[in-house]
Amino acid sequence: MNKYSHLKRDFEQLKAEVRELPGATEYLDGPEVAVGQMILARQLELGYTQQQLADLADVPLEDIKVIQAGLVHSNFGCNIQPDSLSKVFKALKIIGVQPIIDEQAATSMLG
């Protein structure tokens, strides 16, 4: 167990509570949140702060915050630099994305 394991537990508990709000499930299960969580996990794994990641990727700190919050969809009105996401991936040495499918969660979402 790493030193950030409690954050994941706390976040998962918060997500479970938030899912009761209208529209929250669609947002939390969306690709924007999944990408934000992946980037945050890799950032923490490498021991970077958000500011360090922003500096390393040469993107504004605000873009890091928006990406990690899963607010990159145009519906949220948060604009990031067009190449920020690719710069962040490069800085974190993320060269591919392999989804891990949670069959139980996927089945429960279908009804």
Side-chain angles (χ1 to χ4, degrees):
M1 204 176 223
N2 70 33
K3 65 181 180 177
Y4 298 110
S5 295
H6 69 285
L7 295 176
K8 181 174 173 53
R9 264 191 333 271
D10 291 347
F11 184 66
E12 293 302 323
Q13 180 182 353
L14 178 62
K15 282 195 324 185
E17 293 171 11
V18 169
R19 285 182 185 281
E20 302 301 318
L21 300 172
T25 296
E26 292 79 12
Y27 164 70
L28 292 171
D29 292 336
E32 294 88 357
V33 171
V35 169
Q37 288 178 340
M38 178 184 61
I39 288 171
L40 175 60
R42 180 68 174 152
Q43 171 200 323
L44 295 174
E45 180 183 344
L46 296 173
Y48 298 145
T49 64
Q50 284 183 321
Q51 184 63 61
Q52 288 170 324
L53 176 55
D55 293 343
L56 184 65
D58 192 30
V59 300
L61 175 61
E62 190 60 31
D63 284 8
I64 299 296
K65 292 177 180 181
V66 167
I67 291 167
Q68 288 181 342
L71 299 176
V72 294
H73 194 280
S74 60
N75 288 349
F76 293 111
C78 299
N79 297 315
I80 63 169
Q81 299 295 319
D83 59 348
S84 285
L85 195 54
S86 61
K87 286 181 171 183
V88 169
F89 271 63
K90 187 179 234 179
L92 293 174
K93 296 180 176 43
I94 298 173
I95 57 171
V97 178
Q98 179 102 19
I100 298 173
I101 306 301
D102 182 338
E103 292 294 337
Q104 183 179 1
T107 303
S108 69
M109 287 187 330
L110 295 175

